[in-house]
Every structure is written in C-alpha cells, then in structure tokens.
Amino acid sequence: MLVPIILSLSIVYLGYRNYKTESFFDINFTTCLSLLIVIWISFVLVEKQTDLRKRKDALADLLTAIQKTVIEKEAYIITENTMTEYLTMRKRGLNNKIGLLKKYGKEFGLEKDIEFLEEKANEYGEIIGNHIDDKTYLSKSAQELQRPLNLIDDRIYEIMLKLY
Amino acid sequence: MPIVINIAKDYTKTPGGREKKDGPFSGEDFRETILLPKFREAERLNEKLIINLDGGYGYGTSFLEEAFGGLARIIKDEKVMNIDIISDEEPILIEDIAAYMKSALQGS
C-alpha cells in the first residue's frame, strides 16, 4: 500500500514542478509505452488479488456452512423417531463439505486443520454408523455425539482467523 | 459387459447397520444376498464388477465395512480391490471402502 502512495505523491509533485513549462502536456513514445506497461501490470496484479480474496470468501462461506451443520441440535439430539435417512444425509453433507475444503484449502496452508476436521467428522460418522439401527443408544449419546462436533466448531473459528 | 450393482435401485435407498441382527438392510445381508453372488458371477464371466453408491440417503460406516470389508475377509484375495466403486454423491466413500478392504485383507 505504501509503494503506490509514494509513487502517486511523486507523480503529483513532478506534475506541480512542471506545470508552467511549455511542454507540460507533451509526451514521447517511450513514456507512453512505459505508462501502458505499468497500467497493464497493475491491472493484472489487482485482478489476481481480487481472485484470491474471492476464493478466501468462498472458503469462509463453506466453513460457515459446516459450522451450521455441526451446531444444529438435531445433529446430536437424536430420538427414537429420528429417521435413519436424516442421519445418513447429514453425515454425507458434512463429509462432502469437508472434502471440498480438503481440495481447495491447500492453497491457504490449511492441511493440518482440515485433517483435524476430517478426523472429528469421521469420529461423528462412526458413532452414527455403528448404531444406526439402535436409536435408543443414539438417543442417550448426545454428549458423545456433541464432542467431535464442538471440536469442529471451535477449530473452524481458528481457521477463519488464519484465512484473513 | 461389466456387472453393475446400483445399491439404491437394486437393494435399498436406506442402508442400515452392520449385521442382520441389528435391523433390516444390513451390510451383512447386502453382502450375502447381492454383493458376494455378483462378485462370483463377475469372476466366472471374467467381467468387471461396478458398484454404484449413488441415489440413496447415505451410508453408515458399519454397513460399508461389513459389506466390503466382509467380502475381502471371505475372498482373501487382492482381486477384491478390482471392484470399481462409483460415488459422485459422497466421493470420500470410495477411499473409505478401499481402506476397509485393504485392512480386511491385511487382517486375514
């Protein structure tokens, strides 16, 4: 940020110093070319930064979606009437979102954090999977289910802070 | 022509738990009634066996381990790893199933 400010101030100063000279508005080919190159390089660099920012924002949205999945009460408060399909679909949704994180989070150096999220999601999935037909057991396992989900929630806050 | 099993169409959209005693549509039941017979048929005809996991409501880990890990424990041969798994709806399951079968082969 400092460099463009210094450059801008320098140009303004030069403009001021040359203002009253006869050839103030004259410009040669080399100067034109230099200006053109600088403008295009700046444009490309700004676009790159914008794209990076957009990817970070998309990743943040994905992390927020994961958080929403894990903090919902229905994720860990299961009753005798909870349908198996809801349990397996929730597990699938969580796995798929973490899969996306794994694929696109490498760019931001988040491998270890994503590995952690994956481990905890697997822990949650195993509990559900091992007792999918025993809703009585699952209905008494709110704490056991909530444990990995809370850890996922906490780690996501840390990832968000690292991203920005 | 490969032999294709689409679990949601050929068996159930709501797979259950591990064993038959746990409830309907267990991994054990799927293996015994569909997976193992089709595996043997593919072997006999020298055809590829393809399992499509899409179209259902998702899978419990114990269902998959009992079905595929269990198959590997019965066959006791690396050829089980030639089974093709399709899972566009939950791609991670492809790795998971491969891991269950490998682990089962190493344990047997």
Side-chain angles (χ1 to χ4, degrees):
Chain A
M1 192 60 194
L2 196 57
V3 170
I5 291 172
I6 293 171
L7 278 173
S8 305
L9 289 172
S10 309
I11 290 167
V12 166
Y13 174 71
L14 283 170
Y16 166 73
R17 285 294 303 262
N18 289 285
Y19 178 59
K20 287 197 175 131
T21 61
E22 271 182 13
S23 57
F24 179 70
F25 288 109
D26 289 350
I27 190 163
N28 63 29
F29 176 76
T30 317
T31 310
C32 269
L33 196 60
S34 307
L35 271 173
L36 221 58
I37 290 170
V38 163
I39 286 166
W40 274 103
I41 289 174
S42 307
F43 175 75
V44 167
L45 289 174
V46 165
E47 280 296 293
K48 265 186 131 175
Q49 279 294 103
T50 307
D51 286 348
L52 183 68
R53 180 83 195 190
K54 280 183 180 168
R55 284 200 299 279
K56 273 191 187 176
D57 290 346
L59 213 69
D61 286 345
L62 184 56
L63 288 164
T64 305
I66 294 173
Q67 271 187 314
K68 277 198 181 132
T69 304
V70 300
I71 63 172
E72 277 174 350
K73 281 208 168 119
E74 289 81 3
Y76 53 91
I77 296 185
I78 292 163
T79 71
E80 305 270 350
N81 298 323
T82 303
M83 294 175 76
T84 302
E85 297 92 296
Y86 289 132
L87 298 175
T88 50
M89 283 199 296
R90 179 183 301 277
K91 182 182 93 57
R92 180 170 66 188
L94 189 56
N95 279 348
N96 283 346
K97 289 181 184 75
I98 290 178
L100 281 173
L101 257 189
K102 216 170 153 178
K103 194 172 171 186
Y104 296 102
K106 286 184 208 170
E107 184 185 353
F108 303 103
L110 300 170
E111 290 96 324
K112 286 227 169 332
D113 295 299
I114 293 168
E115 204 178 296
F116 179 88
L117 296 182
E118 199 177 18
E119 269 170 29
K120 299 310 155 203
N122 284 344
E123 183 182 325
Y124 175 77
E126 293 265 341
I127 301 168
I128 296 287
N130 288 341
H131 303 284
I132 197 122
D133 284 318
D134 188 354
K135 304 288 178 0
T136 308
Y137 179 95
L138 289 175
S139 68
K140 295 173 186 163
S141 304
Q143 273 183 327
E144 192 184 347
L145 288 164
Q146 207 179 359
R147 196 200 87 91
L149 298 178
N150 277 358
L151 291 169
I152 290 172
D153 186 35
D154 293 343
R155 184 57 70 101
I156 285 177
Y157 280 117
E158 188 175 337
I159 295 172
M160 294 277 219
L161 289 166
K162 276 186 190 172
L163 259 187
Y164 292 101
Chain B
M1 280 281 278
I3 292 174
V4 182
I5 302 171
N6 182 310
I7 297 182
K9 287 185 185 150
D10 301 331
Y11 186 62
T12 180
K13 286 186 175 183
T14 53
R18 181 179 288 275
E19 295 173 349
K20 288 193 271 198
K21 64 176 173 63
D22 296 330
F25 305 119
S26 64
E28 184 184 12
D29 182 65
F30 170 69
R31 187 189 66 234
E32 286 178 0
T33 58
I34 295 185
L35 184 58
L36 183 57
K38 288 290 183 185
F39 181 84
R40 294 283 190 216
E41 184 186 340
E43 229 184 347
R44 191 170 45 83
L45 298 172
N46 199 26
E47 293 289 353
K48 193 87 173 156
L49 179 60
I50 298 172
I51 318 282
N52 191 328
L53 304 181
D54 292 339
Y57 291 99
Y59 297 84
T61 47
S62 45
F63 174 94
L64 294 174
E65 203 290 324
E66 184 59 36
F68 293 95
L71 181 73
R73 282 186 283 275
I74 291 169
I75 303 298
K76 293 188 171 76
D77 192 305
E78 288 281 333
K79 59 189 168 185
V80 295
M81 302 303 295
N82 293 335
I83 297 174
D84 267 349
I85 311 285
I86 296 171
S87 181
D88 292 334
E89 291 174 1
E90 195 172 350
I92 193 80
L93 294 183
I94 299 171
E95 269 176 48
D96 288 349
I97 289 170
Y100 296 147
M101 292 199 286
K102 251 193 196 138
S103 175
L105 287 171
Q106 282 163 3
S108 51

